[in-house]
Amino acid sequence: MRIFTKKLPHPDLPAEEKAQLLQNAEYQEMMVESTFMYLTLDLPTAPLYKDEKEQLIIPQVPLFSILAKFNGATEKEYKTYKENFLKRFQLTKLPPYLIFCIKRFTKNNFFVEKNPTIVNFPITNVDLREYLSEEVQAAHANTTYDLIANIVHDGKPSEGSYRIHVLHHGTGKWYELQDLQVTDILPQMITLSEAYIQIWKRREEDETNQQGA
């Protein structure tokens, strides 16, 4: 993965001083190559409003909207104790398996908060070609992924429970596992869950040809 980082002047500085600082070398964009174990997907802040029946509305976001973080163009601000940075990310390689970690939990000095936003995602045929640079795209014949496992967190951060949805490769059926309970589940029900961690498998050439047949 390529990580592009640009340091930002303090927001309270006068505009002229900011402009001068941006000319310095330490404020120029830098790029580093980095390996990754999983991709962290950031959820938008959940709005705290109710509908006409005074019920809380659970927001939804498409998977491709939060994947835009890795398109090489989307910038996000990161803050440390003393400094602020703009970062953008671009994938340089697509492994056989990809792990997505949907960032539902945020910690502060007092408690842990959970974002209940539902991520709308297809079960199959997720193409990640657009998140690769043009020169890298040529080295990847297959860039399409299918979901094979989906870990769900239900309930409050401190009192919740976990479920996992697993694809049985031999039959193509999905099963839900929780503790010692195993039940079958329809694929369309998986997309309604508060997905937390997902595992995606890249299609091989013969699998791609079968899907297109």
Side-chain angles (χ1 to χ4, degrees), residues 179-197:
D179 297 329
L180 298 179
Q181 285 190 319
V182 179
T183 57
D184 55 356
I185 185 172
L186 295 174
Q188 55 265 36
M189 298 301 296
I190 297 173
T191 63
L192 303 176
S193 62
E194 294 182 13
Y196 179 39
I197 296 174

Side-chain angles (χ1 to χ4, degrees), residues 2 18 43 57 71 78 81 97 106 110 137-138 151 199:
R2 291 175 183 156
K18 285 183 183 179
L43 291 175
I57 298 174
N71 63 12
Y78 291 81
Y81 179 69
Y97 295 89
T106 54
F110 304 100
Q137 288 181 10
I151 300 174
I199 301 176

Side-chain angles (χ1 to χ4, degrees), residues 63-64 67 94-100 121-128 142-150 165-169 172 174 190 198-212:
L63 174 65
F64 291 102
L67 273 173
L94 294 177
Y97 295 89
L98 268 177
I99 300 175
F100 293 165
F121 56 90
I123 298 294
T124 60
N125 202 31
V126 171
D127 194 350
L128 301 183
N142 299 318
T143 57
T144 302
Y145 285 77
D146 299 321
L147 186 70
I148 60 172
N150 181 58
H165 303 129
V166 180
L167 174 67
H168 186 271
H169 185 71
W174 281 91
I190 297 173
Q198 297 182 328
I199 301 176
W200 297 78
K201 181 180 182 295
R202 189 182 66 200
R203 288 185 187 174
E204 300 304 327
E205 185 173 358
D206 57 341
E207 294 174 319
T208 302
N209 291 337
Q210 291 175 8
Q211 291 286 341

Side-chain angles (χ1 to χ4, degrees), residues 75-141:
E75 293 183 323
K76 182 179 178 180
E77 186 172 351
Y78 291 81
K79 298 181 179 181
T80 66
Y81 179 69
K82 294 183 179 180
E83 299 175 317
N84 294 353
F85 298 88
L86 275 181
K87 290 188 177 184
R88 54 190 180 95
F89 306 86
Q90 186 171 47
L91 302 181
T92 56
K93 188 176 182 180
L94 294 177
Y97 295 89
L98 268 177
I99 300 175
F100 293 165
C101 180
I102 299 171
K103 192 175 180 181
R104 292 198 174 276
F105 302 98
T106 54
K107 297 180 181 180
N108 57 34
N109 294 330
F110 304 100
F111 51 85
V112 178
E113 292 182 299
K114 178 185 175 183
N115 189 327
T117 298
I118 297 297
V119 178
N120 301 132
F121 56 90
I123 298 294
T124 60
N125 202 31
V126 171
D127 194 350
L128 301 183
R129 180 170 294 276
E130 67 178 280
Y131 304 101
L132 301 171
S133 62
E134 291 185 2
E135 69 272 16
V136 175
Q137 288 181 10
H140 286 74

Side-chain angles (χ1 to χ4, degrees), residues 7-78:
K7 183 178 177 181
L8 296 175
H10 194 280
D12 294 335
L13 291 176
E16 292 184 2
E17 190 171 345
K18 285 183 183 179
Q20 292 178 350
L21 287 175
L22 290 174
Q23 302 303 315
N24 296 341
E26 66 175 309
Y27 289 90
Q28 303 306 305
E29 186 174 75
M30 297 181 295
M31 187 273 287
V32 296
E33 298 271 354
S34 176
T35 56
F36 64 90
M37 294 293 293
Y38 56 88
L39 298 179
T40 300
L41 306 183
D42 304 314
L43 291 175
T45 302
L48 299 177
Y49 57 84
K50 298 181 179 181
D51 62 11
E52 63 275 5
K53 297 181 181 179
E54 292 298 308
Q55 295 178 336
L56 285 175
I57 298 174
I58 299 177
Q60 301 183 25
V61 62
L63 174 65
F64 291 102
S65 292
I66 55 178
L67 273 173
K69 172 182 178 179
F70 301 99
N71 63 12
T74 300
E75 293 183 323
K76 182 179 178 180
E77 186 172 351
Y78 291 81

